[in-house]
């Protein structure tokens, strides 16, 4: 199948790119064919975020979004920023980047479903349930398009199934989200990370609750720092009151943490027991659960964005504004800039010539997006000094230098290099879940509606099957059993003296944490058959 543009990923950036391409084609009287692939069973099925949306980019993309029924139903009303100790909470001034006047608390999944409708009305062909599994190349090395994965080949790949489909394009837009599996291969082939800092990541874990009406405060936004994290570990929480007596609660842990005994999932469960937090959920019920990695590196970690035949947009490149705790408006803006550069490049390219939309980079550097990320570039790397020095520096950078300090702090190490050996760390005793406020991982995965066909090749690949025992277990006490928020990894056979790693791939919620945090980078996350994974209803 041939198109002018193929987009890989149906999140906010991919859908924005599709919409903007069609808008520009209509404005210029051109015909640009656009196809979008989404590995989830439907648009929005794999989408997970807080989320508080800053509508700046949406206003640019679809100015009449209110008339078109965009699901922005809960205006932000009140900001609260708390510093937690184990038993107390201290209200701090809300940092200016975290002021939310004019913003909206949303379900990002539902917002993407609405964006998908807008894209289809403009003529975009959207194919949910199709996972792009391979990048295709022309003989000259430029990107030709992508191929979807084979289906029905059996667990060992030895059955006749349906072959994947090749989609060829003059320009391929990679909008895979954080730690894109195809984007990783592009980094290597085109050396896109040369000159950029290592990307640093966080894992965000989220639950959706229905609470008692008397405890519900629509539009209230709470963020916390401090407990249960120690002062050396980056992390914090969010608590947002949506409409219909629904509250989302989540916790983010920086994946540059050092203690191999730390479990982001258990820290999240423990956080909910704090006296300042637990009361919101008394008498309520949990509706859904999910987890997703996020790119936290900021401006210093953004790779080269263009290459012959394609571009990177959204969180696969890393446009998150960490101090704002927002990435949707920035991802969407990157997509608009890329679309404008693509239309320009396609119009001027010679027949048969490899197209590189180089103007995308220049447009980015001249945009408000670059300025926004530049002004906060030093906040996240400051946290390698610990919580208190980082908070002090952040105040100086924000209030004194106003984001224009005459220096730039850098990320020194990739997250997988940060774990200390188990002998240098203290095990963490986490409380058992009570099944009312706190829960185990398997019951959480159940309400994420995660499903994979068990009769398919494993999508979690080990480069060397001996490493999990010889290195991970021996040196780090199997950290994959703790950093995975879905119970995918288990060490079995210890009692018999023959330990081995068991991978429960059907539990995977596609967060990509294992691909990021594995200390020897022995785990490679690739796309499973299309349609597999979580099916988030309102996340």
């Amino acid at each position: 199948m041939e198109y002018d543009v193929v987009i890989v990923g149906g999140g906010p950036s991919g859908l924005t790119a599709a919409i903007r391409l069609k808008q520009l084609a209509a404005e210029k009287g051109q015909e640009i064919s656009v196809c979008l692939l989404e590995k989830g069973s439907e648009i929005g099925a794999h989408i997970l975020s807080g989320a508080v949306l800053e509508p700046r980019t949406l206003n640019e993309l679809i100015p009449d979004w209110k008339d078109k029924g965009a699901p922005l139903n809960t205006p932000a009303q009140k900001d609260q920023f708390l510093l937690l100790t184990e038993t107390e909470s201290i209200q701090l001034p809300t940092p200016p980047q975290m002021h939310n006047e004019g913003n909206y608390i949303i379900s990002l999944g539902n917002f993407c479903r609405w964006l998908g409708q807008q894209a289809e009305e403009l003529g975009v062909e959207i194919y949910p349930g199709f996972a792009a599994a391979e990048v295709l190349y022309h003989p000259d090395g430029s990107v030709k398009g992508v191929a979807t994965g084979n289906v029905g080949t059996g667990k060992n790949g030895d059955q006749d199934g349906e072959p994947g489909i090749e989609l060829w394009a003059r320009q391929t837009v990679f909008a895979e989200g954080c730690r894109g599996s195809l984007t990783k291969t592009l980094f290597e082939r085109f050396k896109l990370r040369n000159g950029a800092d290592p990307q640093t990541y966080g894992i965000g874990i989220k639950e959706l609750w229905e609470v008692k009406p008397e405890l519900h405060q629509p539009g209230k936004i709470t963020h916390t720092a401090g407990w249960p994290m120690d002062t050396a570990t980056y992390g914090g929480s969010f608590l947002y009151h949506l409409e219909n007596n629904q509250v989302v609660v989540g916790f983010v842990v920086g994946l540059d943490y050092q203690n191999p005994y730390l479990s982001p999932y258990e820290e999240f469960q423990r956080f909910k027991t704090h006296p300042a937090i637990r009361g919101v959920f008394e008498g309520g019920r949990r509706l859904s659960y999910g987890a997703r990695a996020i790119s936290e590196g900021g401006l210093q970690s953004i790779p080269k964005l263009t290459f012959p035949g394609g571009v990177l947009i959204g969180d696969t490149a890393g446009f998150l504004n960490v101090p704002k705790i927002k990435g949707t408006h920035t991802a969407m803006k990157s997509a608009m800039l890329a679309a404008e550069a693509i239309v320009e490049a396609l119009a001027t390219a010679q027949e048969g010539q490899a197209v590189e939309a180089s103007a995308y980079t220049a447009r980015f550097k001249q945009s408000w997006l670059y300025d926004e990320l530049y002004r906060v570039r030093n906040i996240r790397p400051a946290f390698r000094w610990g919580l208190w020095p980082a908070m002090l520096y952040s105040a100086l950078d924000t209030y004194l230098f106003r984001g224009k300090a005459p220096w730039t702090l850098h990320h020194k190490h990739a997250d997988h290099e940060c774990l200390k050996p188990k002998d240098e760390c203290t095990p963490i005793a986490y409380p058992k879940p009570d099944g009312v406020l706190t829960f185990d991982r398997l019951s959480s995965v159940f309400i994420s509606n995660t499903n994979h066909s068990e009769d398919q090749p494993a999508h979690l690949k080990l480069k060397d099957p001996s490493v999990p025992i010889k290195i991970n277990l021996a040196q780090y006490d199997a950290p994959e059993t703790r950093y995975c928020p879905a119970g995918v990894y288990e060490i079995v056979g210890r009692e018999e003296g023959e330990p081995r790693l068991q991978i429960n791939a059907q539990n995977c919620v596609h967060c990509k944490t294992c691909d990021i945090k594995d200390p020897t980078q022995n785990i490679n996350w690739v796309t499973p058959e299309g349609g597999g994974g979580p099916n988030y209803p309102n996340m």
Side-chain angles (χ1 to χ4, degrees), residues 209-212 214-215 275 277-285 436-437:
W209 283 70
E210 182 180 29
V211 301
K212 288 181 176 179
E214 60 267 28
L215 299 174
I277 303 300
R278 66 180 305 142
V280 176
F281 305 105
E282 288 184 1
R285 65 187 183 102
V436 178
L437 178 63

Side-chain angles (χ1 to χ4, degrees), residues 305-327:
L305 298 171
T306 67
F307 41 90
V311 300
L312 306 176
I313 63 173
D315 208 31
T316 211
F319 287 100
L320 178 73
N321 183 329
V322 173
K324 264 191 181 180
I325 320 180
K326 291 177 184 61

Side-chain angles (χ1 to χ4, degrees), residues 505-528:
Q506 69 275 13
N507 287 3
C508 178
V509 294
H510 296 202
C511 74
K512 314 285 186 70
T513 303
C514 57
D515 194 285
I516 296 165
K517 190 61 176 173
D518 184 61
T520 64
Q521 294 294 274
N522 188 52
I523 299 173
N524 185 34
W525 193 102
V526 300
T527 52

Side-chain angles (χ1 to χ4, degrees), residues 33-365:
S33 56
V34 181
C35 168
L36 184 146
L37 297 178
E38 164 54 38
K39 65 183 174 65
S41 61
E42 63 170 352
I43 294 293
H46 288 179
I47 297 297
L48 179 116
S49 183
V52 176
L53 176 70
E54 181 178 313
R56 181 174 187 174
T57 311
L58 180 60
N59 291 333
E60 296 178 11
L61 181 70
I62 307 174
D64 58 344
W65 54 266
K66 289 185 179 178
D67 296 334
K68 292 182 181 293
L72 277 63
N73 303 321
T74 309
Q77 300 290 348
K78 178 185 177 183
D79 285 305
Q80 184 180 49
F81 183 46
L82 302 177
L83 177 67
L84 302 184
T85 67
E86 188 168 355
T87 58
E88 303 293 332
S89 64
I90 303 165
Q91 183 153 338
L92 299 178
T94 301
Q97 301 97 336
M98 296 168 67
H99 288 175
N100 284 293
E101 184 178 353
N103 297 336
Y104 294 83
I105 305 173
I106 66 167
S107 157
L108 189 60
N110 289 340
F111 179 64
C112 285
R113 291 178 177 97
W114 176 81
L115 284 176
Q117 295 168 3
Q118 308 311 304
E120 288 186 319
E121 288 175 7
L122 292 171
V124 177
E125 295 182 30
I126 296 179
Y127 295 105
F130 287 86
E134 178 187 0
V135 182
L136 305 174
Y137 296 95
H138 289 289
D140 66 1
S142 61
V143 171
K144 183 180 184 178
V146 294
T148 63
N150 298 338
V151 178
T153 58
K155 197 162 191 173
N156 300 315
D158 55 0
Q159 299 177 21
D160 291 333
E162 296 182 19
I165 302 167
E166 291 193 0
L167 295 106
W168 300 352
R170 299 175 69 194
Q171 227 9 228
T172 305
V173 178
F174 293 87
E176 296 181 282
C178 179
R179 195 70 168 196
S181 53
L182 298 186
T183 301
K184 283 196 309 178
T185 68
L186 296 168
F187 285 161
E188 294 181 13
R189 185 179 184 102
F190 294 108
K191 311 300 182 190
L192 300 178
R193 296 215 61 85
N194 286 3
D197 284 5
Q199 184 60 267
T200 188
Y201 300 90
I203 177 174
I205 306 174
K206 172 183 172 181
E207 294 175 350
L208 175 67
W209 283 70
E210 182 180 29
V211 301
K212 288 181 176 179
E214 60 267 28
L215 299 174
H216 186 236
Q217 302 178 55
K220 184 179 179 181
I221 294 171
T222 300
H223 294 104
T224 75
W227 189 88
M229 295 287 90
D230 59 41
T231 57
T233 305
Y234 183 78
S237 80
F238 57 89
L239 195 70
Y240 304 152
H241 289 246
L242 287 150
E243 65 268 25
N244 301 324
N245 297 325
Q246 292 186 347
V247 172
V248 295
V249 58
F251 205 85
V252 177
V253 177
L255 289 178
D256 55 352
Y257 69 81
Q258 298 178 346
N259 187 344
Y261 292 107
L262 187 147
S263 165
Y265 178 86
E266 299 294 351
E267 296 291 351
F268 171 45
Q269 297 303 312
R270 184 160 65 161
F271 157 75
K272 290 185 294 178
T273 67
H274 192 277
I277 303 300
R278 66 180 305 142
V280 176
F281 305 105
E282 288 184 1
R285 65 187 183 102
R286 194 172 65 145
L287 303 176
S288 190
Y289 165 86
R292 191 74 174 89
I294 56 176
S295 303
E296 293 184 343
L299 190 65
Q300 300 91 308
S301 299
I302 292 176
K304 187 174 184 291
L305 298 171
T306 67
F307 41 90
V311 300
L312 306 176
I313 63 173
D315 208 31
T316 211
F319 287 100
L320 178 73
N321 183 329
V322 173
K324 264 191 181 180
I325 320 180
K326 291 177 184 61
T328 302
H329 72 290
T330 54
M332 292 174 67
K333 183 61 177 179
S334 74
M336 291 185 70
L337 297 169
E340 290 157 8
I342 288 169
V343 171
E344 182 182 299
L346 293 178
T348 58
Q350 302 294 320
E351 187 68 32
Q353 177 187 14
V355 177
E356 181 165 355
S358 302
Y360 172 26
T361 301
R363 286 175 177 271
F364 165 54
K365 291 184 176 179

